[in-house]
């Protein structure tokens, strides 16, 4: 590697010495400058530091993502015994959108799990809408029965939770 940061090439020096007539044993004297100057060494060190730093950041991001997805998976698996854990699993999977590294398998897992939770929430919303229609039609018993037969986790939010509880409390 030839020095390129100091602005002068060893070939330029050789050309100047040839023009000046410097010779050793009848041959032109070749330059004796080092092949790499301190600027070049510093430049190479910076490049190596950037490569190593990038690799370390990649490994850190990968480990952090794996840890976060493992925690989310633990919440989701625990929801089989404690259905209220689905909300924590959903919040955990939602927090993974900001991670620096997400593999394809992690992405598929996140989409599937969030999709399942959303489907369960949609089912509850549909049950609530049907119960409200039954109440509007004057069939309180059918509305209460539909709400009370649901034995899944409470995934509704806001006013829907209150409406659900009011219908469930009717007799």
């Amino acid at each position: 590697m030839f020095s390129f940061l100091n602005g002068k090439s060893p070939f330029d020096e050789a050309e100047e010495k040839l023009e000046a007539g410097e010779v050793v044993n009848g041959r032109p004297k070749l330059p004796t400058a080092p092949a790499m100057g301190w600027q070049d060494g510093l430049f190479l060190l910076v490049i190596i530091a950037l490569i190593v730093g990038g690799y370390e950041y990649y490994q850190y991001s990968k480990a952090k993502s794996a840890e976060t997805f493992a925690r989310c998976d633990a919440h989701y698996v625990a929801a089989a015994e404690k259905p209220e854990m689905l909300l924590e699993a959903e919040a955990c999977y939602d927090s993974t959108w900001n991670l620096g590294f997400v593999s394809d398998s992690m992405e598929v897992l996140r989409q599937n799990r969030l999709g399942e939770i959303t489907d369960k929430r949609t089912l509850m919303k549909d049950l609530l809408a049907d119960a409200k229609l039954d109440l509007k039609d004057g069939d309180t018993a059918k509305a209460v029965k539909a709400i009370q037969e649901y034995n899944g986790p409470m995934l509704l939010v806001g006013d829907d939770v209150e409406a659900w509880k009011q219908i469930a409390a009717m007799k």
Side-chain angles (χ1 to χ4, degrees):
M1 175 183 242
F2 294 104
S3 177
F4 58 92
L5 293 178
N6 63 6
K8 199 169 196 180
S9 165
F11 297 114
D12 293 339
E13 292 177 24
E15 194 174 308
E16 289 173 4
K17 289 181 179 182
L18 274 174
E19 290 172 359
E22 291 184 34
V23 290
V24 174
N25 295 335
R27 294 187 175 162
K29 186 176 177 183
L30 297 175
T32 58
M36 183 166 51
W38 70 270
Q39 299 98 340
D40 299 330
L42 182 63
F43 180 74
L44 283 176
L45 283 175
V46 168
I47 295 295
I48 291 169
L50 287 172
I51 291 170
V52 170
Y55 177 76
E56 289 298 319
Y57 176 74
Y58 170 74
Q59 292 299 327
Y60 167 77
S61 295
K62 197 172 167 183
K64 184 177 178 187
S65 294
E67 176 185 309
T68 303
F69 271 88
R71 187 175 64 250
C72 295
D73 188 53
H75 289 309
Y76 189 83
V77 170
E81 293 177 19
K82 293 181 178 179
E84 62 274 2
M85 293 290 287
L86 274 179
L87 290 174
E88 291 180 34
E90 181 182 34
C92 187
Y93 280 116
D94 278 339
S95 73
T96 62
W97 291 107
N98 297 325
L99 292 175
F101 173 85
V102 176
S103 69
D104 291 342
S105 61
M106 290 176 181
E107 176 67 27
V108 168
L109 179 70
R110 172 178 53 200
Q111 288 179 6
N112 288 341
R113 298 278 170 87
L114 286 174
E116 289 174 19
I117 294 168
T118 302
D119 289 346
K120 289 178 182 181
R121 180 173 288 122
T122 303
L123 172 69
M124 284 189 76
K125 285 183 178 184
D126 290 344
L127 281 172
L128 181 61
D130 289 345
K132 285 181 178 179
L133 283 174
D134 290 338
L135 285 176
K136 198 180 251 187
D137 291 340
D139 195 354
T140 306
K142 185 177 177 185
V144 171
K145 182 181 176 193
I147 295 293
Q148 289 178 347
E149 284 180 352
Y150 177 78
N151 58 0
M154 174 54 73
L155 298 173
L156 297 176
V157 291
D159 294 336
D160 289 340
V161 175
E162 296 304 318
W164 184 278
K165 288 179 180 178
Q166 284 176 356
I167 295 171
M170 291 181 182
K171 292 193 182 199

